[in-house]
Structure formats: structure tokens, C-alpha cells
Amino acid sequence: MKMNIKIIGLAFLLAWGYSANAQTVSLEEKADSNGYVVFDGDEAPDFVTTLTDGRQVRLSDLRGKLVLIQFTASWCAVCRKEMPYIESEIWQKHKDNPNFVLIGIDRDEPLDKVKAFAEKTGVTYPLALDPGADIYAKYALRKSGITRNILIDGNGKIIKRTRLFKTEEFQSLVDTIDDYLSK
């Protein structure tokens, strides 16, 4: 009788797609030391977000363009330090290039706070909302911090990721964008 129960149990598990060789990797196990769960060369996870002006943007609709996503929030001191550099070194140089898109995605704050944040920091590049940090969680562990930038090529592949605001790393991001857009 025990053998029949084991066979029935195994048949049930197999019917539901269980494999004895299957291994489940948690996001925590997948994450790198910066909390990223996506890596250079990966296809960027798709999302839809609403900009502060009410327009909706779907990442997959931006194929063919170089896309820089910046995860930010008003409470982040490092973000406030980095944003003027993104504005001057990246946005002002490339905002008129039809092959470039920059979106600052504000992590889990309401529209009025995001608009006030943009005004206070003086940034003019588009900011978007991320209620519940659900977009953020597609790229990094929810408990990991910001600021972080993700550069996505025209094929939708991640080509560069940064974390915090480190001068050399930021300059490398600027150089990568400049090189990509000069081709």
C-alpha cells in the first residue's frame, strides 16, 4: 500500500511539472553584491510606468533607442547629489537625440512629491512613478538601496549598471552613452 501511495504521489508531482532535478533560485541567491537581480547582457524586464505629465511609457516600445533608467527617490541623499550630474552630463547633451531616452523612476512616492522633488533638484528629464516599487523589484532586491542606473541598448539588452554615485563609475556611464550615440 505504501508503494502505491508513493507512486500516486510521484505521478501527481510529475503531472504538476515537478522535476527531481529542478532547482529554484531565490532572488536573494541570484542577486549580486549591489542587490541587482539583472545583469549586463540580460534582456531588460519590461514595464509600464506613468510619467509625471500623465503619459504612459512601456519599455518595450522604446526598442531601437538607447534607454537610461535611473531609480531615485526624494528621500535619497545620494540621488539628490547625482541628479544634477545626470541633468548636465547626460540629459542636456542628448535630450534632442531621437535615439536616446532617459527616465528617472521614483521609487514608491506619490505624484505631488515627485513633482516637488524634480523642481527642488532642478532636473528637467522625465520622471515616472513606481507605486509599490514593483518596477524596481524587477531589477534589484526591494530591500536594496538606490540610486542606481541601468543602460539598455536598442535591442533591449542591459549594457551597463551603476550603483550609488561614484565619480569614475558615473564617468564610465557618460562615456558609454556618448560612444553609443556617436555611432
Side-chain angles (χ1 to χ4, degrees):
M1 186 63 141
K2 286 184 181 182
M3 179 90 125
N4 287 342
I5 292 173
K6 285 183 181 179
I7 291 172
I8 292 170
L10 182 57
F12 178 78
L13 290 173
L14 290 172
W16 282 95
Y18 173 82
S19 168
N21 296 326
Q23 294 182 0
T24 303
V25 177
S26 70
L27 286 179
E28 286 77 15
E29 292 171 317
K30 181 181 179 185
D32 69 8
S33 61
N34 286 321
Y36 272 111
V37 297
V38 295
F39 304 96
D40 294 355
D42 288 355
E43 184 167 328
D46 200 16
F47 60 83
V48 175
T49 188
T50 303
L51 301 177
T52 56
D53 67 5
R55 290 180 295 142
Q56 284 202 325
V57 175
R58 177 180 300 278
L59 179 62
S60 57
D61 290 345
L62 301 175
R63 290 282 166 91
K65 301 176 186 289
L66 182 67
V67 178
L68 177 61
I69 299 169
Q70 180 222 9
F71 286 104
T72 189
S74 65
W75 47 262
C76 170
V78 178
C79 300
R80 289 191 305 272
K81 181 178 177 182
E82 178 185 57
M83 290 173 82
Y85 289 96
I86 292 174
E87 175 74 21
S88 64
E89 301 295 318
I90 299 172
W91 181 241
Q92 290 303 317
K93 273 201 281 191
H94 301 295
K95 68 181 180 179
D96 295 325
N97 188 325
N99 296 314
F100 179 68
V101 176
L102 167 60
I103 303 171
I105 299 179
D106 191 278
R107 182 178 167 165
D108 201 21
E109 295 185 302
L111 178 61
D112 60 335
K113 188 168 245 179
V114 177
K115 284 183 172 182
F117 179 43
E119 189 174 313
K120 186 173 183 176
T121 57
V123 301
T124 62
Y125 57 85
L127 293 179
L129 307 176
D130 185 12
D134 292 335
I135 297 169
Y136 182 82
K138 292 178 178 220
Y139 290 85
L141 296 174
R142 284 184 192 273
K143 66 182 178 185
S144 63
I146 51 179
T147 188
R148 53 181 79 232
N149 300 296
I150 299 148
L151 189 60
I152 303 163
D153 72 10
N155 296 314
K157 301 286 185 187
I158 296 170
I159 57 174
K160 192 167 210 53
R161 299 164 299 137
T162 68
R163 170 76 178 101
L164 297 173
F165 179 60
K166 301 170 192 155
T167 305
E168 286 181 26
E169 185 178 61
F170 184 79
Q171 188 58 53
S172 175
L173 175 66
V174 171
D175 292 345
T176 302
I177 292 168
D178 291 348
D179 290 346
Y180 189 96
L181 293 174
S182 71
K183 296 175 184 170

